[in-house]
Amino acid sequence: MKLLARNLARTTTEHQLRQLFSEYGDVTECNLVLDQETGESKGFAFVTMPDDAQANAAMAALNLASVAKSKIRVKIAN
C-alpha cells in the first residue's frame, strides 16, 4: 500500500521517515519529495508498505502525530 505523509517538517529526512514507518512493519520504498531548484524538502513524502495491515496500523498511529514539532497527516496515496 502506498501512503502519503504530508505536513512534514522541512528538516525531516528520508531516513527518519523510513525509521518512523518501519516501527509498524516493512517499508519497501520511501520517497521524500524535494524542490528541484533548492534541493529542500517540500514537506511531503510517499511511503510504500507491502503489507496492508501494517500500512493501516502505521496510518492509524501516525496520522495527526507530532513529528519534529509538526502534526503530520498520513493517508492512502491516490
Side-chain angles (χ1 to χ4, degrees):
M1 179 182 294
K2 191 171 194 174
L3 301 175
L4 170 64
R6 299 182 306 146
N7 203 38
L8 300 171
R10 302 289 191 224
T11 56
T12 301
T13 66
E14 202 167 284
H15 178 71
Q16 290 169 325
L17 266 181
R18 185 178 286 271
Q19 282 185 313
L20 184 66
F21 279 84
S22 65
E23 290 178 27
Y24 302 94
D26 295 327
V27 174
T28 54
E29 204 173 346
C30 181
N31 294 316
L32 184 64
V33 179
L34 304 176
D35 184 289
Q36 288 185 347
E37 291 183 17
T38 65
E40 295 179 8
S41 168
K42 285 191 166 188
F44 68 98
F46 294 97
V47 179
T48 304
M49 300 179 77
D51 185 298
D52 285 357
Q54 292 174 351
N56 283 321
M59 187 169 38
L62 297 174
N63 189 43
L64 301 179
S66 182
V67 178
K69 299 181 183 176
S70 289
K71 189 177 278 192
I72 69 170
R73 298 186 185 278
V74 181
K75 67 177 192 171
I76 298 171
N78 293 334

